[in-house]
Amino acid sequence: MNSKTQRIAVTAVLTALLLAVAPSAVNIGPVPLTLQTLIIALVASIASTRVSLTAISLYLLLGALGLPVFAGFKGGFVLLLGPTAGYLWSFLLFAPIIGLSFKKWSTVTGLVITNIIASILNLTFGTIWLAISMNMPAQAAITAGFTPFVATGALKITVVVIVAIAVRKLQKRTVLAF
């Protein structure tokens, strides 16, 4: 299989993974607890920046077009403008932050650090947009949109790093270079 065909196939598989897992959510307030960030971080941690950015963009596009792929099996462009839009748009930062940084720091520590940075930016942008869109005071937005996700974020990063290391080892032993 040539590299272009392989890249398209891997992008399709990673997009399908996002579409299948990301909608699962538990409502805990204005921002639901989801598996979106786990899958977004995993995609960015195992694939090239180009492939992961394409898969994440396709996920957002399909959600914007109305497919029920966002939290709680919702879809539509209006969600990319609503209270959780900051979290969704910041997914586009995961690929370059993790992908490009990990090229420089190709260690477990590098993978952990880049995932922490991407997660903090996701929560920060999401919380800022939550405050603006819902006209919330900063402390209320932090309480609703940042604080509840710190512990689960740490758990997600742990899972991402363990799975990404296993996938990267598999990639080195096979022809699966994505």
Side-chain angles (χ1 to χ4, degrees), residues 6-7 9 13 31 38 41 46 58 67 72 78 90 101 124 126 141 146:
Q6 184 178 8
R7 191 171 46 249
V13 168
V31 181
L38 181 134
I46 64 171
L58 283 170
L67 267 65
V78 69
S90 72
S101 298
T124 301
F146 196 103

Side-chain angles (χ1 to χ4, degrees), residues 16-176:
L17 179 64
L18 281 165
L19 298 174
V21 178
S24 302
V26 176
N27 286 326
I28 61 170
V31 181
L33 179 60
T34 71
L35 293 176
Q36 286 173 318
T37 50
L38 181 134
I39 299 302
I40 295 286
L42 182 60
V43 166
S45 295
I46 64 171
S48 70
T49 302
R50 181 178 178 182
V51 167
S52 60
L53 190 57
T54 303
I56 294 165
S57 297
L58 283 170
Y59 164 72
L60 292 172
L61 176 64
L62 292 170
L65 292 174
L67 267 65
V69 297
F70 294 145
F73 295 91
K74 295 177 184 170
F77 187 75
V78 69
L79 294 172
L80 292 174
L81 301 172
T84 60
Y87 300 97
L88 293 169
W89 286 111
S90 72
F91 291 161
L92 294 170
L93 297 175
F94 274 74
I97 289 170
I98 294 171
L100 297 175
S101 298
F102 192 65
K103 283 182 183 177
K104 288 189 175 219
W105 305 327
S106 59
T107 64
V108 173
T109 304
L111 190 57
V112 170
I113 290 169
T114 57
N115 270 278
I116 290 171
I117 291 167
S119 295
I120 289 171
L121 287 173
N122 171 256
L123 290 174
T124 301
F125 287 131
T127 302
I128 290 169
W129 183 252
L130 178 68
I132 292 168
S133 68
M134 295 187 71
N135 199 24
M136 295 174 89
Q139 188 57 46
I142 291 168
T143 300
F146 196 103
T147 308
F149 305 103
V150 172
T152 57
L155 179 61
K156 289 176 186 179
I157 290 169
T158 303
V159 170
V160 165
V161 169
I162 290 168
V163 173
I165 290 168
V167 169
R168 286 178 179 265
K169 283 181 183 176
L170 179 65
Q171 286 173 323
K172 287 180 182 176
R173 292 194 320 251
T174 66
V175 294
L176 293 174

